[in-house]
Amino acid sequence: MSGELWDWTVGAYGAPGVEAASLMLQDTAGQSVPLLLWSAWTARTGRAVDDETLEAAVDTAKAWTEAAVAPLRAVRVRLKAPLSDLEPGARERVRAEVKRVELMAEEALLADLEALTDGAPGAALSDEALLDRLVEAAREWNGKVPREALKAWAERLPA
């Protein structure tokens, strides 16, 4: 199922500091990291995103998040700590499987976002335009714009 966006995302997420900054955006600012990664990918690859495409991307991200990603994440987080009456080895095996399925859901979300993206790659946008695109996505996602956190996150992404 992987595509160009997934491959870019795996590379970006592995860059120094991106994972920690992503989790902060997710957990503290309530942002959708897959949506932000898609927004950054479109900017880094010079793909145009109009208002209609951004709206469709947010709708897609919300649908996947509500149906699969958030519930799976909640189960994974719940299984992280030892729980009375649950054998630790079994709990960890189930948690690992839930994590695998959560990642599969995020990969499917990214594939759907990539499918919304029209056009061939072009010239990468400037760092300022990248930040503007991230701000638009964040605002459309939940009305909050953690500008400084987005800026710090964007600075960690590969060019």
Side-chain angles (χ1 to χ4, degrees):
M1 176 185 331
S2 64
E4 186 181 339
L5 172 55
W6 176 256
D7 293 342
W8 184 89
T9 295
V10 169
Y13 206 76
V18 171
E19 180 179 359
S22 296
L23 292 174
M24 193 282 305
L25 284 165
Q26 173 185 286
D27 297 341
T28 303
Q31 291 298 316
S32 167
V33 172
L35 179 66
L36 292 174
L37 286 162
W38 170 78
S39 296
W41 172 74
T42 62
R44 289 287 198 224
T45 60
R47 289 175 164 88
V49 175
D50 60 19
D51 291 343
E52 187 176 311
T53 303
L54 178 58
E55 183 179 340
V58 170
D59 290 346
T60 298
K62 284 184 177 184
W64 269 109
T65 300
E66 291 169 8
V69 176
L72 289 165
R73 182 178 299 131
V75 170
R76 179 179 52 79
V77 169
R78 177 75 174 112
L79 290 172
K80 186 173 185 176
L83 297 165
S84 61
D85 298 326
L86 295 185
E87 193 277 317
R91 178 183 50 79
E92 279 302 317
R93 285 190 301 279
V94 170
R95 182 175 181 274
E97 188 65 14
V98 170
K99 184 176 181 178
R100 186 189 67 74
V101 175
E102 179 187 357
L103 189 60
M104 184 188 317
E106 288 182 333
E107 184 177 0
L109 163 55
L110 288 166
D112 284 355
L113 291 175
E114 184 174 357
L116 294 172
T117 311
D118 288 330
L125 300 183
S126 68
D127 290 345
E128 183 178 318
L130 166 63
L131 181 58
D132 289 345
R133 186 158 296 171
L134 294 173
V135 165
E136 289 175 42
R139 183 175 290 121
E140 190 70 24
W141 176 254
N142 68 2
K144 299 176 186 175
V145 180
R147 186 176 299 272
E148 289 306 312
L150 288 169
K151 184 178 179 183
W153 184 75
E155 289 171 352
R156 291 173 169 84
L157 295 174

